[in-house]
Amino acid sequence: MKDDLEGKGGADNLVVPGPDELRFDMLVTLSNINGTKSWPQLLNETRRRVQDLERLGFDAAWFGEHHFDVYSTDACPNPVMLATDLAARTKTLRLCMGAVTLTTWHPLRLAEDLAMLDHFSNGRLEVGFSRGIIPFEIVNINPDADRTKPEVSKAIFAENLEIIKRAWTQEKFDWDGERHQFPKPGIKYHPNPETPTLDGVTDSDGNWNKMMLVPRPLQEPTPPMWATSETIEGFVNAAEAGLGGITLFPNGRKLMKLLEAYQEARRGVTGVLPPLGANCALARKVFVAPTDEEARRIYKPIAEKRLEVYTKVRGLGVFLDEGEDENDPKFQNMSAFDLLFDRGHLFVGSPETVTNKIVEMSKEFGIRHWLFGGDADAAITSEDSQRSLEMMGNEVLPAAREALVNAE
């Protein structure tokens, strides 16, 4: 996850959980690491999994956007279309974009598609926005959004976000920016003169000067919106724009500083200091088995692969706290599982162990919103994955809810 927000201003789009409104969500990926499944099989498995999430009491499912995924880590090029299919198969589960790559979409098309999805789901949509992570995905769709040119990438993101917010919240809107101009100048528009809501969309010469998005979202002023970030700057930008913040890697003092920065930025907007952790979601990997020993045995090779991949891409320091040196021999000699588990990156173990991890970190950091993710890895069998999900829903979530609500 990256710093994905530069746009400021606009209406707040926050959902603030109360003391009895803990959020336990799940990231759903269409993974096929060993290459044995067809895409129709992946789709049907996803449908069943999402229906299981609703049955087991999870609050939301999140879907990512990835392109050209021949490695099948997450073969979902369009989370909007996927969630539209799933909206017809669920009733209460919130359906969340985690995240759409905003820099590769036309902002008006995305605004329309998401607004329709909000209606299809009867107001169960939430939207996370991203500048994208993987270079070949971005540059093959929009070369201008290449993240190796961060200022350009951030500017595209900010303009597209502001266009979407304006289209969703203003009955009649226009835009004149660096990359887009809506409506295009010199176009004649012929509204029905008997429709009073269309007054003002043209000038005296019949030139189109205001646009109207059809439909606008069902939720007002907009569906809840989120930005993913790992830095203080990203969380401050999110808070100032009225978006929630999602983070994956920070722990310890790093995480506390992110949450405190968001808290202070929200006070700057509203004049009121919110509770620590309000409007912030923390993403963590989760796997449950009957005993700690069994969970560790199954998950240990996955932890090793995860640490190896991220160390190559982002460095070992992404998993460490302030004051910890990634070149310290103790980290080089520590097992991947112990390093990740001890620093709160893994919620892996028996139902009791995983429950305690959730409760401890919730109390320490004020987190009321958790975004759990399994691992796209062939090392976890479908049977073990399903067992983990059932134990999460039947044992971990009820126990964590009870402990945290009673602690209020």
Side-chain angles (χ1 to χ4, degrees):
M1 292 184 179
K2 303 283 187 176
D3 298 330
D4 295 324
L5 186 67
E6 290 294 312
K8 306 289 183 69
D12 280 357
N13 308 279
L14 301 175
V15 174
V16 184
D20 297 322
E21 298 176 40
L22 291 162
R23 282 277 299 266
F24 293 123
D25 303 352
M26 183 67 77
L27 177 65
V28 177
T29 58
L30 279 70
S31 59
N32 186 24
I33 298 299
N34 57 13
T36 61
K37 301 172 185 176
S38 66
W39 204 88
Q41 285 178 295
L42 291 176
L43 176 59
N44 286 328
E45 287 181 1
T46 300
R47 288 166 171 163
R48 289 193 296 270
R49 189 168 186 82
V50 167
Q51 290 172 323
D52 283 341
L53 292 176
E54 183 168 85
R55 171 178 59 83
L56 291 167
F58 286 84
D59 296 292
W62 291 74
F63 312 98
E65 176 183 347
H66 291 288
H67 302 275
F68 324 116
D69 186 18
V70 295
Y71 297 107
S72 293
T73 301
D74 187 5
C76 177
N78 193 324
V80 182
M81 290 189 70
L82 177 62
T84 301
D85 176 90
L86 297 170
R89 302 171 190 272
T90 54
K91 295 181 179 179
T92 61
L93 194 74
R94 297 192 69 78
L95 303 169
C96 309
M97 307 295 98
V100 290
T101 307
L102 183 54
T103 55
T104 61
W105 286 76
H106 188 286
L108 292 184
R109 290 298 303 269
L110 182 58
E112 291 173 334
D113 289 356
L114 289 171
M116 289 184 69
L117 174 54
D118 199 35
H119 284 272
F120 292 154
S121 65
N122 196 29
R124 291 185 282 137
L125 172 66
E126 298 186 23
V127 186
F129 293 113
S130 167
R131 286 191 290 132
I133 298 174
I134 303 173
F136 69 74
E137 294 185 349
I138 302 167
V139 298
N140 281 291
I141 297 177
N142 182 7
D144 293 337
D146 186 349
R147 289 194 62 136
T148 63
K149 303 173 183 177
E151 294 308 313
V152 176
S153 172
K154 290 178 180 181
I156 294 172
F157 182 95
E159 183 172 355
N160 286 359
L161 177 61
E162 188 58 34
I163 290 169
I164 289 174
K165 291 169 70 174
R166 191 172 295 197
W168 279 354
T169 58
Q170 297 180 7
E171 182 182 16
K172 304 179 183 73
F173 72 96
D174 60 359
W175 178 261
D176 189 359
E178 184 176 353
R179 292 167 181 82
H180 297 287
Q181 187 175 12
F182 307 124
K184 290 292 185 182
I187 297 177
K188 299 291 183 179
Y189 189 74
H190 305 287
N192 183 344
E194 297 179 358
T195 307
T197 57
L198 294 180
D199 290 345
V201 299
T202 62
D203 61 20
S204 57
D205 296 324
N207 293 310
W208 196 12
N209 60 7
K210 292 287 183 179
M211 302 185 74
M212 300 177 71
L213 193 77
V214 180
R216 287 192 286 169
L218 179 62
Q219 298 177 84
E220 296 181 352
T222 76
M225 296 197 290
W226 299 84
T228 59
S229 181
E230 309 303 326
T231 71
I232 289 176
E233 178 190 11
F235 261 54
V236 169
N237 288 337
E240 291 177 344
L243 276 65
I246 301 173
T247 194
L248 172 61
F249 292 109
N251 69 93
R253 188 59 193 156
K254 281 184 180 179
L255 176 59
M256 186 64 75
K257 285 188 174 181
L258 282 190
L259 301 175
E260 290 172 344
Y262 187 96
Q263 186 184 36
E264 287 296 330
R266 287 303 300 161
R267 175 158 63 178
V269 173
T270 67
V272 177
L273 184 69
L276 181 71
N279 312 313
C280 297
L282 185 58
R284 286 296 185 262
K285 296 295 184 181
V286 64
F287 180 74
V288 187
T291 66
D292 289 343
E293 292 75 19
E294 183 176 359
R296 181 186 179 100
R297 174 181 58 78
I298 294 172
Y299 205 88
K300 185 178 179 180
I302 300 166
E304 292 171 351
K305 182 180 295 184
R306 175 173 170 77
L307 189 65
E308 178 185 3
V309 169
Y310 277 98
T311 298
K312 289 180 179 178
V313 175
R314 303 190 62 175
L316 181 63
V318 73
F319 293 108
L320 304 181
D321 199 359
E322 285 187 347
E324 294 183 326
D325 182 1
E326 62 183 84
N327 296 313
D328 189 324
K330 73 177 181 181
F331 297 127
Q332 306 296 329
N333 298 326
M334 186 180 294
S335 76
F337 185 94
D338 289 339
L339 190 152
L340 298 178
F341 184 86
D342 292 349
R343 280 154 186 76
H345 293 289
L346 301 181
F347 288 4
V348 175
S350 67
E352 182 180 7
T353 294
V354 174
T355 299
N356 289 340
K357 279 275 193 180
I358 295 170
V359 172
E360 289 169 6
M361 288 192 70
S362 294
K363 291 179 177 179
E364 182 178 1
F365 297 102
I367 295 295
R368 310 293 294 177
H369 189 169
W370 290 95
L371 176 53
F372 299 121
D375 267 273
D377 198 289
I380 298 181
T381 67
S382 58
E383 292 78 15
D384 286 338
S385 178
Q386 183 65 29
R387 182 182 62 173
S388 174
L389 188 66
E390 297 284 343
M391 297 180 82
M392 278 290 294
N394 292 325
E395 300 182 53
V396 174
L397 300 193
R401 289 186 198 276
E402 181 179 5
L404 291 170
V405 170
N406 289 340
E408 293 293 329

